[in-house]
Amino acid sequence: MDTRELNEAGLAGVIDHTLLKPTAASVDIIKLCSEAVAYNFAAVCINPCWVSLAAGQLAGSNVAVCAVIGFPLGATSTAAKAAEASLAVRDGAREVDMVINIGALLEGRTDVVMNDMQAVGEAARAQNPDAITKVIIETCYLNRAEKIHGVRFCRECLF
């Protein structure tokens, strides 16, 4: 399917155009934003250090800025994730995609997983009540039952 077909099918409007490479430079982010506008993607998904640049590039468009939080491992503290989310939204992100704490999920530490998700969502909404929080569950590390638990935790938080 080419980009014209994506737009005609309405699929582009639900895709986050993503660039999370550690080697990404400002020219790459500017290109990503330009492509997102040209193809009517829903959002650009980037590392938090690029949020201000992307927000400036996308000002006046319908494309949202989405920052990853706790990426790529989810193994940062709840406080660090909350601070990262708060700063990203303050800098112009309308969405944050947080990585779930897989180790805590695997150990059955429901309180840690839930607290993590709630803290990130609250931190984002404190900066912008309309901020959207999504959760990345690295399913490659989980069996079926663990995937179900992870999704249930997300549903219980209902950002």
Side-chain angles (χ1 to χ4, degrees):
M1 185 176 280
D2 66 23
T3 52
R4 182 186 53 77
E5 291 171 317
L6 278 176
N7 285 334
E8 288 174 2
L11 293 175
V14 296
I15 294 173
D16 289 357
H17 197 29
T18 302
L19 178 60
L20 300 173
K21 295 188 313 187
T23 58
S26 56
V27 67
D28 301 314
I29 300 302
I30 292 166
K31 180 182 177 195
L32 183 82
C33 292
S34 176
E35 292 169 350
V37 170
Y39 299 119
N40 298 310
F41 288 120
V44 296
C45 186
I46 54 177
N47 287 303
C49 64
W50 297 115
V51 168
S52 293
L53 174 61
Q57 293 294 308
L58 296 170
S61 78
N62 291 325
V63 179
V65 175
C66 176
V68 291
I69 305 301
F71 186 82
L73 303 174
T76 52
S77 70
T78 297
K81 286 181 184 177
E84 193 173 34
S86 178
L87 292 171
V89 174
R90 182 203 67 190
D91 290 347
R94 295 192 336 226
E95 301 178 6
V96 294
D97 284 7
M98 66 163 287
V99 181
I100 197 169
N101 184 326
I102 294 293
L105 179 63
L106 289 171
E107 288 184 342
R109 295 169 51 206
T110 307
D111 57 328
V112 172
V113 176
M114 296 292 285
N115 186 49
D116 223 25
M117 290 190 282
Q118 290 169 342
V120 169
E122 289 169 5
R125 287 189 306 278
Q127 292 294 323
N128 176 353
D130 296 322
I132 296 169
T133 301
K134 298 180 286 183
V135 178
I136 299 169
I137 301 172
E138 295 293 347
T139 59
C140 61
Y141 300 113
L142 306 175
N143 64 35
R144 186 175 192 283
E146 292 161 343
K147 291 173 190 175
I148 292 169
H149 287 303
V151 171
R152 284 186 179 148
F153 295 150
C154 294
R155 187 177 65 200
E156 287 178 30
C157 283
L158 289 176
F159 304 111

